[in-house]
Amino acid sequence: MRSFVHATNPNRVVFGYGTSAQVRQEVERLGRARALVLGSPPLAALGDRVHEALESLAVARFDGAAMHTPVEVTEQAMELVGEHSVDCVVAVGGGSTTGLAKALAWRTGIDQIILPTTYAGSEVTPVLGETAQGTKMTRSDAAILPETVVYDVEFTLDLPVAMSVTSGINAMAHAVEALYSQQTNPVVDGWALESIRLMGRALPAIAADPADVDARAEALHAAWLAGTCLGLVGMGLHHKLCHTLGGSFDLPHADTHTVVLPYAMAYNAPAAPEVMRRIAEALGTDDAPAGVHDLISSLGGPTSLHQLGMAEQDLGTAAESATAKSYPNPREVTTEGVAALLREAWAGNRPA
Ligand code: NAD
């Protein structure tokens, strides 16, 4: 018998195809009437769609969201919030745009409506990572959690296959680490396993046909579940290591998660055999870490830190900074152990 505590995050989720058309009613539902539309230049066309759907409720537009939520960018957007008496943000994009929405909400208390276009999952977590003078700080607070998420499968159809794979594995990493988190419970376990099963099935279908609406819907559903797990329980070695690699060595977020996941799983496997068995079952494979590695390589995803441009001589420093502070993880985290993990990940060897 397991004893547990479970608390859900209070957010509203609208899921479907063409749901972006409902964004005006979602803003009204929150009692808001002055929206700042947030986006980025590559996704300007989707931003335009949302802007039009909001009609007179869109009072300002900011297409400057950037990776790692730099505070200088947030300050620029803050000027628009003041100038236009904005009472909510409507964000269209991946984790970077969601990060900007969260940064504005954290500073002002305004409501957030998020339309995610990747599988990062940030839209359902109360966590904000911001960069100031090159340092990324993370905080968690109920005020950061977006009020409403509008998942529109149509908005993900153009996510390139390579980004779909890395973003999908980023989501899978949230689900994997939730399963061996100290705070997990049977509800979170169920969501995490369902997420892994759906994503493991959706990604090959998306690689075969990026416009496969059913596969896109499964991937987005999996991303939502994985993000929900990330927002409810603490993460372990994999997320800490990716945070260090991304922050200190400027490696791309989703690609880093994709390369590291099989190795972090292999490191933790001896201490979490039942979790690995359940993941392998969800993926229809014999061995979870090798199965994830094989899935990534069959989809043409990155499998080595070397491929991401990391210098071999930086591995030791990375191992030291990733182990400078202790944190919960199923297997004891040692500098030597993480250095060995990183050597394998740098070379891209299939986990044994
Ligand atoms: P991203 O938002 O930076 O997007 C990556 C690239 O994909 C961008 O160039 C973007 O323009 C493009 N893109 C996004 N959607 C597209 C689409 N549908 N079609 C075509 N191109 C598209 O990357 P991300 O991986 O979604 O998010 C990464 C950021 O999110 C990181 O800063 C990470 O720390 C943060 N994050 C935070 C949390 C949290 O809970 N706080 C969770 C996950 C990620």
Side-chain angles (χ1 to χ4, degrees):
M1 196 216 107
R2 282 164 83 182
S3 302
F4 60 88
V5 174
H6 179 73
T8 42
N9 281 328
N11 56 0
R12 175 176 161 86
V13 170
V14 178
F15 191 102
Y17 189 93
T19 45
S20 67
Q22 297 169 35
V23 69
R24 184 184 167 102
Q25 77 197 57
E26 289 304 322
V27 169
E28 286 170 341
R29 199 174 181 281
L30 291 167
R32 305 293 167 217
R34 302 188 61 78
L36 165 63
V37 178
L38 297 178
S40 59
L43 299 178
L46 296 181
D48 290 346
R49 293 257 310 265
V50 169
H51 205 131
E52 282 158 25
L54 284 166
E55 302 170 358
S56 58
L57 302 193
V59 297
R61 173 88 174 256
F62 184 78
D63 268 354
M67 195 81 160
H68 304 310
T69 322
V71 291
E72 308 82 67
V73 172
T74 302
E75 280 158 13
Q76 289 171 30
M78 278 292 289
E79 286 181 19
L80 291 175
V81 172
E83 266 170 41
H84 298 272
S85 307
V86 162
D87 61 14
C88 66
V89 282
V90 177
V92 187
S96 298
T97 311
T98 304
L100 176 59
K102 289 175 159 181
L104 296 175
W106 165 249
R107 284 166 177 75
T108 61
I110 57 178
D111 285 345
Q112 306 169 66
I113 297 100
I114 312 287
L115 290 94
T117 62
T118 70
Y119 307 129
S122 176
E123 64 280 358
V124 284
T125 81
V127 180
L128 165 64
E130 296 188 278
T131 316
Q133 281 117 31
T135 307
K136 191 160 181 176
M137 304 153 301
T138 304
R139 60 167 63 88
S140 182
D141 191 284
I144 293 168
L145 180 75
E147 279 69 18
T148 304
V149 183
V150 178
Y151 285 110
D152 188 340
V153 174
E154 189 187 359
F155 275 26
T156 63
L157 292 182
D158 290 334
L159 186 65
V161 168
M163 279 191 207
S164 302
V165 170
T166 54
S167 192
I169 300 296
N170 181 198
M172 193 177 280
H174 308 330
V176 165
E177 290 227 294
L179 283 165
Y180 53 60
S181 167
Q182 282 179 350
Q183 291 112 20
T184 196
N185 64 51
V187 177
V188 170
D189 284 1
W191 289 339
L193 287 167
E194 176 67 352
S195 173
I196 292 167
R197 190 184 71 77
L198 288 172
M199 195 62 89
R201 191 167 73 181
L203 291 180
I206 289 169
D209 176 9
D212 180 335
V213 172
D214 291 333
R216 288 291 188 182
E218 284 196 349
L220 199 56
H221 184 166
W224 164 40
L225 293 178
T228 303
C229 295
L230 172 70
L232 290 176
V233 302
M235 296 285 115
L237 170 65
H238 171 81
H239 280 73
K240 300 287 178 212
L241 197 46
C242 290
H243 188 84
T244 301
L245 294 172
S248 310
F249 302 95
D250 205 24
L251 298 186
H253 178 82
D255 296 60
T256 307
H257 273 267
T258 303
V259 168
V260 172
L261 184 60
Y263 303 99
M265 289 171 70
Y267 185 91
N268 280 331
E274 178 56 14
V275 165
M276 294 301 156
R277 188 197 64 71
R278 295 175 87 188
I279 295 170
E281 191 179 74
L283 289 172
T285 178
D286 294 337
D287 180 80
V292 172
H293 180 273
D294 294 347
L295 176 68
I296 297 163
S297 71
S298 72
L299 297 170
T303 50
S304 73
L305 291 174
H306 176 234
Q307 236 176 308
L308 300 189
M310 185 162 185
E312 192 171 10
Q313 64 265 28
D314 287 337
L315 297 178
T317 318
E320 274 166 29
S321 47
T323 54
K325 281 190 199 148
S326 66
Y327 46 84
N329 186 64
R331 182 174 163 198
E332 189 193 357
V333 178
T334 63
T335 308
E336 303 71 44
V338 172
L341 180 168
L342 284 173
R343 281 195 297 276
E344 287 298 295
W346 188 84
N349 297 326
R350 184 177 189 265

